[in-house]
């Protein structure tokens, strides 16, 4: 099957935990035939702007959240080579 799954993630209060993204990736195994997809899974990491107060839906995060998101991005990249950063 010629298909690529694109999973987009943004900074969140739970970073650097993988607790939100791991169940989503694991659930992909429930989709019959997905394991044979040529494109595999690509994870896109949303960008952000540092702001004094966090407004995650607007891409604004505090310095501490930005640091946690950077650690999160390293954790996401470890198990696979499918991360696209900075979009």
């Amino acid at each position: 099957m010629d298909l690529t799954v694109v999973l987009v993630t943004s900074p969140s209060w739970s970073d650097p935990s993988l607790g939100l993204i791991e169940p989503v990736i694991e659930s992909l195994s429930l989709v019959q035939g997905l394991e044979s997809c040529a494109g595999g899974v690509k994870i896109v990491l949303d960008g952000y702007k540092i702001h004094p107060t966090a407004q995650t839906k607007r891409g604004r995060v505090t310095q501490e959240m930005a640091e946690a998101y950077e650690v999160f991005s390293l954790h996401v990249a470890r198990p696979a080579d499918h991360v696209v950063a900075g979009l």
Side-chain angles (χ1 to χ4, degrees):
M1 185 182 312
D2 191 18
L3 178 73
T4 301
V5 175
V6 179
L7 178 60
V8 180
T9 183
S10 303
S12 82
W13 297 101
S14 66
D15 293 338
S17 170
L18 298 177
L20 293 176
I21 199 169
E22 283 179 334
V24 173
I25 293 171
E26 290 169 5
S27 73
L28 296 176
S29 67
L30 300 173
V31 181
Q32 187 175 12
L34 196 59
E35 69 280 350
S36 64
C37 292
V41 177
K42 305 294 182 200
I43 299 175
V44 178
L45 302 169
D46 268 352
Y48 58 83
K49 293 185 180 187
I50 296 176
H51 198 266
T53 57
Q55 293 178 304
T56 56
K57 292 186 184 211
R58 293 183 169 200
R60 296 178 183 166
V61 298
T62 63
Q63 180 66 42
E64 295 80 17
M65 289 180 76
E67 292 168 6
Y69 192 57
E70 294 302 321
V71 172
F72 169 82
S73 70
L74 294 173
H75 289 169
V76 169
R78 275 196 188 116
D81 296 320
H82 50 249
V83 176
V84 179
L87 297 179

